[in-house]
Amino acid sequence: TLRVKILVLGDSGVGKSSLVHLLTNHSELTNPAWTVGCSLQVGLHEYRSELTGQAERLFFLEFWDIGGYPMHKNSRGVFYHGVHGILLVHDLTNRKTELNLSRWLHESCLGADTPPVLVIGAKSDLCKADALAKRPNGGEAAARIGCPEILLSCVDTRSLSAGTTNAVKLDRFYDQVIEYRLRPRASTPPRVGQAISRPNRQQSKLLHGE
Amino acid sequence: MTVGSDSVVMLASMCAFFALGWVFFLKHLFRDYEVRHWIVLVSFSVTFALSCGMFELIIFEIVGLLDPLSRRLWWRLCIFAMLILVMVVLPYYTCYFAISSASFLPRRRSVRSALALACWLGFVWLFWRLGDPFPILSPNHGIFSLEQCIGRVGVIGVTIMALLSGFGAVNYPYSCMHVFVRPVTQSAVLGIERRLLQTLDLVAAKRRRAALLRRDEAQSRQASGWSLPWTAAAAAARRSGPTAASVESEAANHEELGRQLFLELHELKTAQERAAHSRTLQGRYFNLLGWVFCAYCLWKLCSCTINIVFNRVGKVDPVTRALHICVQLLGFRLDVQFWSQQVSFWLVGIMAVTSIRGLLLTLTKFFFALASTHSSNIMVLLLAQVMGMYFLSSVLLMRMNMPAEYRHIITQVLGDLQFHFYHRWFDVIFLLSASSSIAFIWVAHKQTVGKSEHESLLLR
């Protein structure tokens, strides 16, 4: 089973941890705490490739939920390698968080080509209905980056139930991420000074063998 | 110059300061948040405008601008407005926003206002009791006079000033001087990064396993129609092997380790940046400033100790003393009146500007470190309150630094306070704050030096 790495980025306090909990456990996060560094959660996705017509394959989606403190900016660079998809999260009640999304994208995109991006507007339950109605096809940030947008509330498990537009857009995003992961591309040499982690054989046996 | 035209000048400068506070708030302090309640923005800007106005009035006093009557009138106005802000408006709104953010309390506005009023009355009572043990003023004043309020605000403000000065006087040389810069090797940074990524790999592997186990549990639950948690656990126990919950808790432990590693990495990177900065021109300039500040800090500590031990009360301000030395000991021929005015003007002006700038920088640092989406309003109101008390007390303490002929306006406006008490109190708190900061920073420095030596030994 293959894994894909999806970064979850956004300002501090927008609801990234709640969102990731909703995506992986399909339930509400009852006691959110400040994320320091990176919190890793794993979800499952079944991918059927229309082109090759293969059977469905199960993929592990690793969500790297990175804490948004401005003072930790100098140490976050270690998480940005080998990324296959990016979720940009902003708070619908605070417009400044949406304006900062392009800065987050710029900070995390290290290579020449950008992986698939999806913009998510969180806390829609705290927002007035007319403000939501003004943005049916995505707000400013999504338009500038050129990617779709989902509006949801992380405390409402029905926002992502099967069949809704949100769930369809999310599935399409996952498929794009997996296709980005599977496509053949020239291997890039590691950057100077980049840490290369190779788990030793004993650790691998413990983790994967069982 | 009549009172009318003077008032126009003062109003114009107050409006300018108000606009300055407004812009600072929107563009710098609150740049990551949206302003949802305008009262927060307005009260912060008004506090800032009044504080700058008070300093401006001192400068006018020295230079002799404006009519003395209008100066006195504007002084009284500023002090009165500042007291109302610091004692009534800001605490009430802080209580109101604190109650609004508590989710378990009812949402109706009348209930919230009533609760906020009750909290505010509690605050006023506490504020009053705070001032009882201090010899603030002479006994021939009534209970609710202006001097009582100013006296109490002065105590709190002087305490804050002394704490911040003490800590700042020790911390600034420590952060600027190159002797304290910790050398960090690139290999140490890479080592921590590697360990962090390995830990995250472990967490990912455990969580992958937990995800598969959860899916299996959900499928088996659906297949057999069980929906009760203990039957699912019983089924898992029958199935030999760990449950999703146990693997999840193991992953949580590893994640905690990952968090510690991340914080260590952040420390190392910050130290590395500091070392790189110290090699630049700006870094060398700050190093020099650090040495100057170190000398100032030692001198201030000695003078505070001497003041307290010998119970010395300074009668002569530094300006007059310096001029006295110049004329009598060094033999310069100076027009004392003229030079006293010039030097006071520059001294008070520089002190006012540096104290405003220093306080704004410190408050901004506190705000960025502590504020979040929910607490941003409360934090700003608390900071505005600290700012108001701080500036009111710095006017009080500045009286000491001015020649006698300019002092009397402050004495007149602030009333008959025991000014010597405030200076003594400042010295005591400054000494306490500086010595505990030295102890704290020394311990922290020893710890980090020990840790980096340990790591370099490990890498070798």
Side-chain angles (χ1 to χ4, degrees):
Chain A
T1 342
L2 288 177
R3 355 195 298 236
V4 290
K5 175 171 169 179
I6 301 181
L7 285 183
V8 181
L9 302 174
D11 281 352
S12 160
V14 296
K16 300 184 289 293
S17 306
S18 308
L19 171 73
V20 168
H21 196 267
L22 180 67
L23 291 177
T24 55
N25 291 18
H26 310 289
S27 62
E28 177 191 338
L29 183 62
T30 41
N31 51 344
W34 296 110
T35 317
V36 173
C38 175
S39 163
L40 230 163
Q41 300 284 346
V42 174
L44 298 166
H45 181 68
E46 310 224 328
Y47 172 70
R48 182 201 302 280
S49 156
E50 288 110 15
L51 301 172
T52 58
Q54 291 170 354
E56 278 188 2
R57 281 173 71 179
L58 193 64
F59 274 86
F60 284 118
L61 305 171
E62 289 181 0
F63 293 100
W64 291 53
D65 164 21
I66 298 188
Y69 285 129
M71 24 180 205
H72 287 159
K73 183 169 179 189
N74 55 1
S75 346
R76 284 198 289 253
V78 66
F79 301 130
Y80 294 153
H81 301 290
V83 173
H84 306 120
I86 300 184
L87 280 175
L88 292 173
V89 187
H90 67 96
D91 186 350
L92 284 168
T93 56
N94 183 353
R95 203 170 155 269
K96 303 273 174 66
T97 55
E98 190 185 352
L99 298 173
N100 286 339
L101 286 183
S102 40
R103 249 197 304 140
W104 279 104
L105 189 61
H106 185 71
E107 184 187 322
S108 62
C109 280
L110 303 173
D113 56 339
T114 333
V117 177
L118 178 68
V119 173
I120 297 190
K123 303 194 189 168
S124 66
D125 52 322
L126 297 174
C127 207
K128 300 198 187 55
D130 52 354
L132 290 180
K134 270 191 238 160
R135 44 195 303 159
N137 292 325
E140 275 182 41
R144 208 169 338 128
I145 301 170
C147 61
E149 187 183 32
I150 292 182
L151 306 177
L152 51 76
S153 155
C154 301
V155 301
D156 186 10
T157 47
R158 290 168 307 164
S159 357
L160 287 177
S161 43
T164 53
T165 336
N166 286 348
V168 166
K169 282 190 192 169
L170 198 61
D171 281 336
R172 202 178 310 149
F173 171 70
Y174 289 155
D175 289 340
Q176 282 176 339
V177 169
I178 292 174
E179 277 156 23
Y180 184 85
R181 164 81 175 80
L182 290 179
R183 68 167 193 202
R185 62 183 177 279
S187 62
T188 50
R191 285 148 51 102
V192 174
Q194 177 186 347
I196 305 173
S197 76
R198 290 187 211 288
N200 54 35
R201 299 183 66 90
Q202 199 170 17
Q203 273 181 347
S204 306
K205 253 195 282 193
L206 275 173
L207 303 176
H208 304 295
E210 271 95 18
Chain B
M1 282 227 146
T2 65
V3 176
S5 58
D6 290 347
S7 304
V8 166
V9 169
M10 280 308 298
L11 263 177
S13 52
M14 287 294 211
C15 286
F17 292 136
F18 183 84
L20 209 64
W22 188 281
V23 165
F24 171 76
F25 184 93
L26 283 181
K27 290 282 180 273
H28 189 63
L29 202 61
F30 234 51
R31 62 174 177 215
D32 284 331
Y33 305 102
E34 248 180 41
V35 179
R36 215 152 293 128
H37 300 101
W38 294 100
I39 189 71
V40 175
L41 174 55
V42 167
S43 38
F44 182 88
S45 308
V46 170
T47 314
F48 182 77
L50 284 173
S51 316
C52 294
M54 282 198 296
F55 283 124
E56 193 193 19
L57 280 169
I58 296 184
I59 304 258
F60 283 169
E61 189 69 33
I62 295 177
V63 177
L65 218 59
L66 301 189
D67 200 45
L69 261 156
S70 52
R71 277 203 301 253
R72 181 107 44 91
L73 178 72
W74 274 96
W75 261 116
R76 291 214 184 277
L77 203 66
C78 275
I79 300 275
F80 192 63
M82 187 63 110
L83 279 178
I84 296 225
L85 263 180
V86 162
M87 285 181 55
V88 177
V89 174
L90 290 172
Y92 173 74
Y93 277 109
T94 314
C95 298
Y96 182 80
F97 284 121
I99 289 173
S100 304
S101 65
S103 47
F104 52 84
L105 292 167
R107 303 241 62 118
R108 279 216 326 271
R109 188 169 293 196
S110 49
V111 175
R112 276 193 272 170
S113 309
L115 277 171
L117 198 65
C119 285
W120 176 71
L121 286 171
F123 164 81
V124 167
W125 178 82
L126 197 70
F127 186 70
W128 218 255
R129 298 294 301 165
L130 201 70
D132 281 342
F134 293 102
I136 294 178
L137 21 93
S138 31
N140 51 357
H141 285 290
I143 288 285
F144 290 121
S145 59
L146 207 68
E147 283 79 10
Q148 290 262 3
C149 300
I150 297 181
R152 284 167 164 77
V153 170
V155 167
I156 300 179
V158 166
T159 314
I160 296 174
M161 274 183 83
L163 282 173
L164 287 179
S165 311
F167 181 71
V170 173
N171 190 40
Y172 185 77
Y174 177 72
S175 58
C176 279
M177 279 163 47
H178 295 167
V179 290
F180 297 118
V181 168
R182 197 157 59 107
V184 171
T185 55
Q186 182 67 1
S187 57
V189 171
L190 287 180
I192 294 247
E193 280 185 356
R194 190 171 51 234
R195 278 165 60 194
L196 178 60
L197 287 176
Q198 277 176 348
T199 313
L200 284 177
D201 270 340
L202 264 174
V203 171
K206 292 225 183 278
R207 288 230 156 104
R208 282 198 296 271
R209 197 149 161 239
L212 283 175
L213 284 172
R214 268 201 309 267
R215 195 182 65 144
D216 292 338
E217 281 171 13
Q219 280 176 348
S220 69
R221 212 179 311 145
Q222 268 183 340
S224 42
W226 287 337
S227 56
L228 299 166
W230 60 82
T231 50
R238 243 174 283 150
R239 236 193 358 252
S240 68
T243 60
S246 63
V247 178
E248 185 64 46
S249 61
E250 283 171 34
N253 288 342
H254 285 296
E255 203 166 54
E256 181 62 44
L257 176 64
R259 228 168 282 152
Q260 302 296 330
L261 283 173
F262 180 78
L263 289 174
E264 252 186 67
L265 173 67
H266 175 66
E267 263 184 46
L268 283 186
K269 285 260 180 176
T270 321
Q272 219 180 18
E273 277 173 2
R274 222 185 114 182
H277 177 75
S278 70
R279 283 191 276 277
T280 64
L281 201 65
Q282 202 187 36
R284 285 187 228 275
Y285 168 67
F286 280 156
N287 186 31
L288 197 66
L289 274 186
W291 279 105
V292 167
F293 233 88
C294 194
Y296 166 75
C297 173
L298 286 172
W299 171 77
K300 194 95 175 96
L301 276 175
C302 294
S303 76
C304 281
T305 322
I306 293 176
N307 280 348
I308 294 173
V309 166
F310 293 116
N311 203 10
R312 199 176 63 148
V313 165
K315 289 267 190 293
V316 182
D317 60 290
V319 181
T320 314
R321 198 167 347 140
L323 286 176
H324 176 84
I325 293 176
C326 280
V327 170
Q328 309 225 279
L329 299 179
L330 297 178
F332 292 147
R333 214 113 45 106
L334 296 172
D335 178 7
V336 177
Q337 187 79 339
F338 171 73
W339 280 107
S340 152
Q341 189 185 40
Q342 287 292 308
V343 175
S344 312
F345 170 74
W346 283 109
L347 186 71
V348 168
I350 291 176
M351 277 173 57
V353 169
T354 47
S355 92
I356 292 180
R357 182 176 170 276
L359 186 73
L360 284 182
L361 281 175
T362 314
L363 291 186
T364 315
K365 241 187 289 190
F366 268 111
F367 184 75
F368 285 156
L370 296 175
S372 70
T373 331
H374 307 292
S375 63
S376 55
N377 285 332
I378 302 173
M379 284 294 310
V380 166
L381 287 174
L382 282 174
L383 292 182
Q385 196 157 358
V386 163
M387 184 167 71
M389 291 193 189
Y390 184 100
F391 286 133
L392 202 54
S393 330
S394 61
V395 163
L396 216 155
L397 289 180
M398 201 178 277
R399 182 185 160 275
M400 186 67 184
N401 287 323
M402 303 197 316
E405 59 262 32
Y406 307 123
R407 260 185 224 183
H408 70 266
I409 181 75
I410 297 188
T411 322
Q412 269 185 345
V413 169
L414 291 181
D416 187 19
L417 298 179
Q418 307 269 43
F419 289 101
H420 300 144
F421 162 72
Y422 288 102
H423 289 288
R424 188 65 61 247
W425 184 247
F426 181 90
D427 288 336
V428 168
I429 301 285
F430 180 86
L431 206 61
L432 281 175
S433 164
S435 31
S436 49
S437 307
I438 289 179
F440 180 74
I441 287 183
W442 188 68
V443 166
H445 186 70
K446 277 280 179 282
Q447 263 190 353
T448 50
V449 165
K451 222 192 307 180
S452 65
E453 279 173 4
H454 178 70
E455 268 170 18
S456 56
L457 275 173
L458 275 181
L459 283 172
R460 231 172 286 147

